[in-house]
Amino acid sequence: MVRTLGLTQLTMIGIGAIIGAGIFSLAAAVARDTAGPAVLISFLVAGAASLCAAFAYAEFAGMVPKAGSSYTYTAAVLGEIVGWIVGWDLLLEYTAIVAVVAIGMSGYLGFLLDAVGLHLPTWALGAPGTGTGHKIDLLAVVICLGVAWLLTRGTRTSARVETVLTVVKIAIVLVVIVVGFTKLNTENLTPFAPFGLGGAFTGAATVFFAVFGYDALSTAAEESVEARNKLPKAMMLSLAISMVLYVLACIVLTGIQHYSELDPDSGISSAFASVGLNGLANVIALGAVIGIVTVTFSFMMGASRLWYALSRDGLMPTWFGAIHPKRKVPHRATWLIGIVSAVLAGLLPIHAVAELTNIGVLLAFVVVSAAVLILRYRKPHLKRGFRCPGMPFVPILGMVFSVWLMSFLRWETWARLGAWLAVGLLIYAVYGYRRTRKVMPGDSVDLDALDAMSDSDEPEDEPDAAAVPAR
């Protein structure tokens, strides 16, 4: 793959991954059914847990400039089988995230189509069980496949589109905040926690997937310029900017419409329409569609790069990780993820997919936080572009936060994760273990070899291609 992504593009990819369905759809659903106006606390708790893990990811990103994210990090420290479990786990979670945000975008796209007098047939309006006559969420399916097509055009082209769309999204979120504060009705904020603090904490476990886009960002390490230095900065910047916008948007959402009346499909647009701002509601719906496209882009990109890393290391067939000879992207993995996410988005309700996403990512956060703690004491000499502060307390707090949030998820979600991991262990035993011995004898990542890389993340002793005589 080709290194083309600088700090600005990386930060935009991070913001693109973080801000999306969390603001435009999931916040309204959680506020109405789980937390009330205390959805603000849900985001703050999720953000605090995410920050602890973000420090761990940033340290690894400044040390291991390789595609694969959590898989690569944990394989380097805790061994290949732990890395595989995390990688297999995240392969499902990233794909599920794409499905979640596509479902969220579908609600806003439907809002826009209704505004201009276009109405989809009932069977195409949602997954089975989400409404009378619903058979499939057709718009969500189209979104997943469309983003897969965009990603196969090449990293430079798709990253430029991502940057433009993210700027537009941020502008619309700022308009929502500024105009929304002029329409606040403080009576809507009482009772602040109608479901109790337990509801707010349960909401935190549900919205958690909305505050960890930097995880997908780290999978772009091999397409980043000076990844050791710029990836950690992009992670911190994207999370900080996104959390400020989340907090303000939650106040606006529950302040202009009572939580019990919020629409879980097109929350902010419907809230603005309820106070007579129908024109702005349509603009917000358009912004939501644009904004959620950037989330699907970031996580589908992350999933395809993770699959590429697993295939390159021999843990999965190399066919999946093949790089397109012209566009230099893992095109087969991208299309497969697009198809699977389209099936999930078309046939499952948003809450079921969101919880499946969260438990997997929280599990990865526990492992990565443990790994960065172990490595700090095992190999303190390694070159680090960023150092996690507050050792050992911050990584430990990240682990505690993550396990605590996992405890709020339903047993069905735990069962689905267990079944998926069991399948992963079977694949490793039958295929991955023997195959990776041939491809990469020993560990999946040699940290000492990576330490010898230059600041440009290229091997120091790499020969100059122009100086090598032709054979």
Side-chain angles (χ1 to χ4, degrees):
M1 292 188 283
V2 182
R3 295 188 183 277
T4 60
L5 303 176
L7 179 60
T8 299
Q9 288 175 310
L10 289 169
T11 303
M12 289 301 175
I13 290 173
I15 295 174
I18 298 171
I19 293 181
I23 281 182
F24 292 110
S25 293
L26 203 57
V30 170
R32 191 188 70 169
D33 301 329
T34 308
V39 68
L40 170 64
I41 294 178
S42 299
F43 274 98
L44 288 173
V45 170
S50 185
L51 178 61
C52 293
F55 284 135
Y57 271 90
E59 178 161 324
F60 267 122
M63 186 168 44
V64 185
K66 290 286 185 180
S69 185
S70 307
Y71 151 67
T72 304
Y73 304 157
T74 53
V77 181
L78 302 176
E80 178 184 281
I81 187 169
V82 180
W84 162 253
I85 290 171
V86 171
W88 178 250
D89 164 48
L90 285 182
L91 195 59
L92 172 66
E93 309 320 322
Y94 284 179
T95 305
I97 291 170
V98 173
V100 169
V101 295
I103 295 169
M105 191 198 310
S106 172
Y108 277 94
L109 196 53
F111 182 94
L112 278 177
L113 292 177
D114 288 342
V116 297
L118 297 176
H119 307 286
L120 291 176
T122 301
W123 61 266
L125 293 177
T130 60
T132 304
H134 290 183
K135 300 295 184 183
I136 188 171
D137 193 330
L138 184 61
L139 292 177
V141 171
V142 172
I143 290 161
C144 291
L145 297 178
V147 171
W149 176 84
L150 173 63
L151 279 169
T152 57
R153 299 304 92 191
T155 301
R156 187 186 298 273
T157 300
S158 53
R160 286 173 178 169
V161 174
E162 165 83 351
T163 299
V164 171
L165 294 181
T166 300
V167 170
V168 172
K169 172 173 65 175
I170 293 172
I172 291 177
V173 172
L174 290 174
V175 170
V176 166
I177 291 168
V178 172
V179 176
F181 268 96
T182 67
K183 296 291 184 178
L184 280 183
N185 180 357
T186 55
E187 293 181 0
N188 289 330
L189 297 175
T190 56
F192 181 71
F195 302 95
L197 285 179
F201 295 148
T202 301
T206 303
V207 304
F208 188 79
F209 93 93
V211 294
F212 65 83
Y214 54 80
D215 180 49
L217 173 60
S218 63
T219 64
E222 292 181 40
E223 294 157 281
S224 308
V225 179
E226 298 179 7
R228 287 182 191 275
N229 296 319
K230 293 184 178 178
L231 265 179
K233 293 178 183 177
M235 289 178 181
M236 295 295 106
L237 282 172
S238 59
L239 181 59
I241 293 170
S242 299
M243 284 308 303
V244 170
L245 296 178
Y246 268 135
V247 168
L248 296 176
C250 283
I251 294 172
V252 166
L253 176 67
T254 54
I256 64 177
Q257 187 175 29
H258 195 265
Y259 76 90
S260 62
E261 300 173 357
L262 291 172
D263 185 338
D265 295 322
S266 55
I268 294 181
S269 285
S270 297
F272 274 76
S274 72
V275 292
L277 298 175
N278 294 295
L280 183 56
N282 292 334
V283 172
I284 293 169
L286 178 61
V289 171
I290 292 172
I292 298 175
V293 164
T294 66
V295 182
T296 58
F297 170 95
S298 297
F299 279 105
M300 193 178 291
M301 178 181 180
S304 63
R305 273 51 176 182
L306 174 59
W307 205 333
Y308 161 76
L310 292 170
S311 298
R312 180 180 59 186
D313 290 354
L315 291 167
M316 297 187 75
T318 55
W319 185 89
F320 293 113
I323 299 294
H324 192 281
K326 181 179 178 181
R327 299 191 177 99
K328 304 299 181 183
V329 294
H331 57 295
R332 290 172 182 165
T334 302
W335 276 116
L336 284 168
I337 290 161
I339 292 168
V340 173
S341 62
V343 172
L344 292 175
L347 300 178
L348 292 178
I350 190 169
H351 274 296
V353 186
E355 288 193 2
L356 182 61
T357 291
N358 289 340
I359 193 169
V361 175
L362 285 166
L363 174 62
F365 278 12
V366 171
V367 179
V368 170
S369 296
V372 79
L373 182 61
I374 292 169
L375 192 61
R376 179 69 73 89
Y377 295 102
R378 184 187 293 174
K379 289 181 178 288
H381 64 278
L382 291 178
K383 180 166 52 181
R384 290 167 166 85
F386 177 91
R387 298 180 72 87
C388 177
M391 277 288 186
F393 303 106
V394 169
I396 292 173
L397 190 58
M399 287 186 278
V400 171
F401 255 131
S402 298
V403 171
W404 179 59
L405 288 175
M406 290 170 72
S407 70
F408 286 93
L409 297 173
R410 296 179 299 174
W411 71 265
E412 295 95 337
T413 305
W414 284 88
R416 290 169 187 149
L417 176 66
W420 179 255
L421 294 182
V423 172
L425 288 173
L426 180 63
I427 292 173
Y428 179 77
V430 172
Y431 178 86
Y433 178 78
R434 289 185 175 85
R435 178 60 184 167
T436 197
R437 303 276 82 72
K438 299 176 183 178
V439 176
M440 295 186 70
D443 295 327
S444 295
V445 176
D446 186 338
L447 289 171
D448 292 315
L450 289 174
D451 198 48
M453 279 185 167
S454 67
D455 289 338
S456 65
D457 304 320
E458 301 294 346
E460 293 279 14
D461 57 353
E462 184 173 320
D464 184 350
V468 177
R471 291 177 179 265

